[in-house]
Every structure is written in C-alpha cells, then in structure tokens.
Amino acid sequence: MSILVVKFGGSVLVSESALHRAVSEIYRYTRDARKIIAVVSAFKGQTDQLLRLAGAYTQASSSSATPHLVATGEMRAATLLAMACERSGIPTRFRSASEIGLVADGEHLNANPVSMKPDVLTKDLEAVDLVVVPGYVAESASGEPVLLGRGGSDLTAVFIADKLGAPVRLYKDVDAIYDADPAQVGDSAKPFDSLNWDEALKIAFPVVQNKAMRYAADKGLIVEVGGLSKGYQTVLGAPTTYRKAAVLKRPIRIAVMGAGGVGAKFLERCLEWSDLIEVDRVLVRDPSKRRDHPLAAAFTSDARNFVRNDVDVFVDIGTGVSPSAELLEGFLKAGVSVTSANKQAVAASGDKLRAAAKASGAMLTYSASVGGGAPVIEALKRAVKSHKVKSIAGVLNGTSNFVIDQVESGKSFDAAMDEARRLGFAEPDSTADLDGTDVGAKLKLLREIAFPGLTPAHLEVGQITEESLIIPTGKGLRYVARCYLTEQGLQASMKLEVLDRDHYLVGARGEQNRAIIELDNGETWYVTGKGAGAWPTTESLLADVLQIARESKLSQ
Ligand SMILES: NC(=O)c1ccc[n+]([C@@H]2O[C@H](COP(=O)([O-])OP(=O)(O)OC[C@H]3O[C@@H](n4cnc5c(N)ncnc54)[C@H](O)[C@@H]3O)[C@@H](O)[C@H]2O)c1
Ligand SMILES: N[C@@H](CCO)C(=O)O
C-alpha cells in the first residue's frame, strides 16, 4: 500500500469552494492508486475568530473549554472535505483525533504529540482510498482535547506520516519556499527545489510550523511544501538546490464541447479556477439560450471553425460520435491534447485518434469515458506496463446499477429510471444505458488497453428490462461486462448476472462502478468509485486536464 499524507491548511482553504481544489488534488493521487491521509485545518481566519470569541467570555489561554471551541474549526473543515470527496466519488472515511488515538502532552494550547494508533488508519485504507483527519487537535493522556500550537496541523501531518512511515506533503498558498518573501520582494525571490533542515529552520518558518519542522528534522524526515494543482514544490530535508524544474507560467487555455449536465458542472469548476484554467470557447448547440451564463461570450455553435491550435487542451463533453470524433481528431492533428467523456466518439474512432496523437505528439486522454470517477482506465494502463491482463470484469454503467438497486428496494422500474435521469446519470437517450450500447463502448475502450490488437471471437450482449430484474433471495444481480482470454481467443460478454451477495461487484451500490482486473502473475486488482454523475465525471475531466498541463510542453 502506497500511502501519502497531505495537509490542507487555512492558507489554501480560503472558503468552502476551495474545498473543490483539495478534492481534485486528492483525486490526482487516488486515481493512481495512492492511499491518502488528509489532515485538515480550519478555514482561513476561523481559528482567530474562535479564539477572539473565547476571549470575549474568558481568558482563552487558561480556560479548559478553549480547545473544545477552537477544535470546531478543524472539525467543520475536515468533515466538509470528507463529504466533498464522497460527492466526487472518492471512497472516504472520516476519523477524529480521538479515534486515531492521537495523544499529546504539555500545555493545553501548545501540546506535543507523543503517540497514536497507526493501525486504525492502515486498516481503514484497506477499505477506502482516503481518510480525513482534523489537524491541530489531539487528546491529553486523560482524554481532554488539547491543541498543538498555532499552525499545529503541520505537526499533526508530520507526526502521522512519521508513524506510518509515509511521505508527507503540506499544501500552502505559495508554490514553494523562496529565499525571500515574494510578497515583499516580488520576482527577485528565488524558489528552492530542496532545502536542508538547517536552512529550512531559518527560512521556512513563516510557511511551515516551527515545531513541525523541528520534529521532522530530529527524525530525519522529508517534507514536501507546495501549492495546489502544481507539479512542483520544495522538498525539505534534502540538500539545498534552487529550482530547476519548469513551471506553469499561465493558465491552461481550453476549448470545450458541450454544456449539458456534466459540461455545466465542468464549466462552473473552471470559473472557480480562473487562475489555473481559462475557457477560451465552448461549442454548444444554441448559444442564444445561455446569454446570462458567465461564459456566454465564449459560447459558439460554429463547429467548422472550432479546431484551432490556440488552446492547450480540447475537452469533449459532447454526445454521440459526430462531431466529437472529428473534433477530437482535428485537435490532435493540430497538436492540441484532448480529453473526452464521450465514450461513443472515442470508441468509434480510437485507431484514428491514436494515430493523430502519435503523429503530433499531443496527448489523448479519456478517463471520464469509462467509470466516471472510478479510475478504471488508470488502473489498466498501470497494469499493462508490467503485466499481461488475463481478464476484466466490471459494473460499468451507473444508471442501470442504480436502477437495479432501486428496484430491489421496492421502487418501480420507471420511477427508478426517471430518478437516474433527474440525477444526471443517464445518457441523453437512456436506452443506451439498458441495451448494452453504453457498456459496449466502455468495454471496447478497456479491451483496447488490456488486449491491444485482439477482438473478441464471441460477444454476448444482454439487455436490461423491467421483467429481467428478478433477484433470487440471498443473491445479487448486476449487469456485468467481461473480457477474458481463453485458448479459443478473446471472449466478451455484457449481461445481467446473478452473483453471491458478498461478490465484489455486488458491492457496487447505486451509481457506483467497480472493476476486477486479473493479471498473469496471479494478482487481482480492484477498482471502485462513482461511475456516473456530474461531480465525479467533472473530477475525472479536470484530473486529465491538469495532468496534461503537468506532463506536456505547457510548463516549459
Ligand atoms: N452523465 C454522466 O454521468 C456521464 C459520465 C461519464 C461520461 N458521460 C458522457 O459525457 C457526455 C455528456 O454527458 P451529459 O450527461 O452532460 O449529457 P447532456 O446531454 O446533458 O449534455 C451533452 C451536451 O452536448 C451538447 N452537444 C451534443 N452535440 C452537440 C453538437 N453537435 N454541437 C454542440 N453541442 C452539442 C448538447 O447540446 C448537450 O448540451 C456524454 O458523452 C456522456 O456519455 C456522462
Ligand atoms: N450513463 C452513463 C454515464 C457514465 O458513463 C452511466 O450511467 O454509466
């Protein structure tokens, strides 16, 4: 298990909408199979506000009630981050300082951590991808809440990382530690790639809590410090070097197709991140319908002049094969990287798209096309780097899975489909969710990664109808897509299957997707996440856009 401890503090959690950035940063790692412990401190200004409030009633520094009150700031931010991550489909668990047995001694407002129960966290991470923990707060040996000194969430993160033997990254409102404060001296401040502990203790203390640095220096730990959504940081605890890495100097410029259920949410997130992403143009069917949209001036219906190489990424959130497929190919040929949620377009023209990407060197990504926010494509791409895939089995359609669960709990088939449409899970023509059209495109995309060059000798396609949803007592029913190698060649099927109730795929609840990947070395990999809905799909699209920005020539 590859664990990373991350810490989000008030300098980056400036408001509730800043939680989205933290979610995207977490998803960046969980989609690559990292397990995350997120330590969270209060929203910007909250701790001061709560201390002032305490001071209005009593002498805050001597009251045993002060840590109880101040800790509500961390509790609020951490629980909301956990909920935001769940909404975006990241399997998440929240743990309080008391639940992880974080004990500290010393003054009640400036205590030092002495012990914790790392097993609670490692056991959680066997079941989920993320555990969120409030920072700054611990318990005294007698069970009273105590605080770890101002900036103490840094210490919580460093302490937990030490006990888990995991790397730690502290997110700040600066992208690195500089040799002088950039707010004071401007561009003459030079960023460090790394800083040894002696120098870090002299330079980095306005950014990182001194106690946390001393703890890390004593233990010889490595601590990364950087900004959100960036591909660079300063590494504390390594020989001092100034920054050599290329950095992103301007927002990523994008062209988008589609402003429907997913597209509207994606554009909303881009507007929140205008420092990072600039929406240049949006292809819609009828721009006149959206005059009051903040991006109205960018809306166009002119598909023929849409392909131009004046953007960094084309984001396809359209439907159907055409014109998405032509636009994806056009942008790739023009050297513009692309990401697509439109599985029909990518599945229909995968060879052409791969050829265009290869010829121009642009990146072709389509994580959101399969699994929504469940990182099935990432898992398969990782798997084929070092292994041969023997089989894939998965629940790959959120709508039908949601409907099966709803029908099982007593709802009518039609009412469940209506609900899936209302929640934005279903395809524009929702028969595609029931007759294998949606899953067929997804299975093709997975097959092309897992079994390149092979097509199934046989493909069995089943449909979902009201009458077909008969669930035998004690069993589970799932629409399962399979692709597997046999001596007779590649076989594939997608159909309703009766499975044991404790089968991994039956564990996919509602709109969740799940996949099981069997490898030739005997390993079995499991992938889970929300397979449909605007939030998880947007997260997946953003992760592709930000990955393209980090990995492409954009930062040179
Ligand atoms: N809804 C989900 O949960 C989900 C998840 C993963 C992937 N997807 C995929 O994302 C895409 C969008 O899904 P959605 O739920 O937002 O659908 P939607 O129907 O709400 O939105 C699609 C948008 O694309 C626009 N569009 C289609 N053809 C166009 C054209 N020729 N010119 C301009 N605009 C055009 C439509 O007007 C509409 O606004 C689909 O390909 C879908 O399969 C959806
Ligand atoms: N309609 C699709 C959207 C995600 O691809 C589903 O329900 O799975």
Side-chain angles (χ1 to χ4, degrees):
M1 189 186 310
S2 167
I3 302 175
L4 173 67
V5 178
V6 295
K7 180 251 161 174
F8 302 100
S11 71
V12 291
L13 296 181
V14 293
S15 64
E16 260 180 61
S17 69
L19 287 171
H20 301 155
R21 284 202 179 200
V23 176
S24 295
E25 193 65 23
I26 289 167
Y27 185 67
R28 165 185 169 190
Y29 292 104
T30 56
R31 81 175 193 155
D32 280 334
R34 297 291 293 269
K35 297 282 185 171
I36 301 293
I37 306 290
V39 175
V40 184
S41 63
F43 288 109
K44 194 179 183 97
Q46 271 269 289
T47 303
D48 286 334
Q49 212 180 336
L50 290 165
L51 282 168
R52 273 199 304 276
L53 184 60
Y57 289 83
T58 183
Q59 194 175 359
S61 59
S62 59
S63 172
S64 63
T66 302
H68 287 272
L69 177 66
V70 173
T72 60
E74 271 62 29
M75 201 53 131
R76 179 161 180 266
T79 47
L80 290 178
L81 179 65
M83 290 170 189
C85 288
E86 279 165 359
R87 179 173 59 184
S88 287
I90 301 171
T92 302
R93 158 130 226 187
F94 174 83
R95 286 286 191 187
S96 67
S98 158
E99 284 174 301
I100 63 166
L102 185 59
V103 173
D105 64 12
E107 287 174 43
H108 74 315
L109 297 189
N110 192 17
N112 298 304
V114 289
S115 62
M116 66 168 288
K117 296 177 192 154
D119 296 359
V120 174
L121 295 175
T122 47
K123 201 156 184 307
D124 282 346
L125 289 178
E126 284 168 18
V128 295
D129 292 343
L130 164 71
V131 182
V132 182
V133 178
Y136 188 33
V137 188
E139 275 188 352
S140 67
S142 56
E144 292 286 302
V146 292
L147 303 177
L148 304 183
R150 290 311 299 266
S153 296
D154 287 349
L155 184 54
T156 310
V158 169
F159 186 78
I160 291 176
D162 179 36
K163 296 299 167 202
L164 291 174
V168 56
R169 177 178 286 221
L170 311 176
Y171 288 102
K172 302 288 172 178
D173 57 356
V174 285
D175 60 5
I177 304 294
Y178 287 71
D179 58 3
D181 182 355
Q184 305 288 329
V185 304
D187 285 350
S188 65
K190 289 209 268 333
F192 292 103
D193 270 342
S194 50
L195 262 178
N196 66 41
W197 276 122
D198 285 346
E199 286 177 281
L201 282 160
K202 285 185 217 136
I203 297 174
F205 65 88
V207 183
V208 183
Q209 193 209 30
N210 235 324
K211 280 207 299 184
M213 286 201 286
R214 274 202 229 101
Y215 181 91
D218 284 350
K219 300 272 179 181
L221 305 180
I222 295 278
V223 175
E224 293 181 356
V225 182
L228 287 170
S229 321
K230 303 283 193 318
Y232 40 88
Q233 62 275 317
T234 300
V235 176
L236 306 184
T240 298
T241 52
Y242 277 101
R243 180 186 282 164
K244 292 181 287 294
V247 299
L248 200 61
K249 293 214 171 69
R250 58 167 176 79
I252 306 151
R253 199 168 302 127
I254 63 171
V256 180
M257 175 185 179
V262 178
K265 176 59 67 189
F266 178 82
L267 293 174
E268 200 182 295
R269 294 286 303 275
C270 291
L271 282 165
E272 280 173 13
W273 288 18
S274 54
D275 60 317
L276 198 64
I277 299 177
E278 179 191 323
V279 180
D280 185 75
R281 51 191 183 274
V282 184
L283 186 66
V284 293
R285 282 214 172 94
D286 181 2
S288 67
K289 271 194 200 160
R290 302 162 203 261
R291 288 210 185 94
D292 57 347
H293 194 282
L295 286 166
F299 286 164
T300 172
S301 56
D302 185 0
R304 276 186 302 185
N305 294 310
F306 200 68
V307 178
R308 300 195 303 270
N309 67 355
D310 55 353
V311 291
D312 302 305
V313 186
F314 168 54
V315 183
D316 169 26
I317 324 175
T319 48
V321 175
S322 187
S324 280
E326 294 83 1
L327 294 175
L328 286 165
E329 192 183 358
F331 274 106
L332 286 169
K333 281 185 171 165
V336 175
S337 294
V338 304
T339 180
S340 179
N342 184 348
K343 73 281 295 191
Q344 298 301 343
V346 184
S349 51
D351 288 341
K352 278 191 196 169
L353 300 183
R354 277 184 286 277
K358 199 169 171 203
S360 71
M363 289 169 68
L364 164 64
T365 61
Y366 45 90
S367 180
S369 291
V370 184
V376 189
I377 288 189
E378 283 70 28
L380 261 191
K381 283 187 175 167
R382 252 191 336 276
V384 297
K385 277 189 189 154
S386 46
H387 305 292
K388 281 202 159 39
V389 176
K390 276 170 50 184
S391 73
I392 313 164
V395 168
L396 301 179
N397 184 273
T399 300
S400 55
N401 207 58
F402 174 86
V403 168
I404 293 169
D405 274 2
Q406 293 283 307
V407 167
E408 190 179 9
S409 62
K411 217 170 195 160
S412 78
F413 183 84
D414 289 342
M417 274 308 286
D418 283 346
E419 184 70 352
R421 285 187 206 101
R422 191 188 65 77
L423 291 169
F425 303 154
E427 293 301 298
D429 172 2
S430 55
T431 52
D433 292 296
L434 304 173
D435 67 3
T437 305
D438 181 77
V439 175
K442 291 170 175 169
L443 192 59
K444 182 167 187 249
L445 294 178
L446 297 184
R447 167 178 51 83
E448 286 171 349
I449 300 168
F451 308 104
L454 297 183
T455 43
H458 182 65
L459 171 66
E460 192 183 347
V461 183
Q463 313 239 340
I464 300 172
T465 57
E466 186 169 0
E467 300 70 40
S468 63
L469 298 189
I470 297 159
I471 307 169
T473 313
K475 295 284 184 183
L477 187 68
R478 289 289 173 253
Y479 191 83
V480 182
R482 293 184 189 273
C483 195
Y484 50 99
L485 270 176
T486 67
E487 287 182 0
Q488 288 72 46
L490 198 62
Q491 307 291 321
S493 63
M494 16 189 223
K495 57 180 181 177
L496 283 167
E497 292 187 16
V498 174
L499 303 168
D500 287 340
R501 275 220 83 83
D502 60 357
H503 193 286
Y504 182 71
L505 296 181
V506 176
R509 309 309 304 184
E511 76 275 23
Q512 261 191 350
N513 279 190
R514 282 192 167 190
I516 305 172
I517 302 167
E518 285 183 324
L519 304 175
D520 62 345
N521 66 349
E523 281 181 28
T524 305
W525 291 10
Y526 300 91
V527 188
T528 187
K530 281 191 184 168
W535 281 98
T537 310
T538 291
E539 213 51 71
S540 181
L541 287 163
L542 284 170
D544 275 355
V545 170
L546 296 175
Q547 188 180 346
I548 290 169
R550 281 193 299 271
E551 291 181 13
S552 70
K553 295 177 217 125
L554 250 176
S555 53
Q556 287 168 13

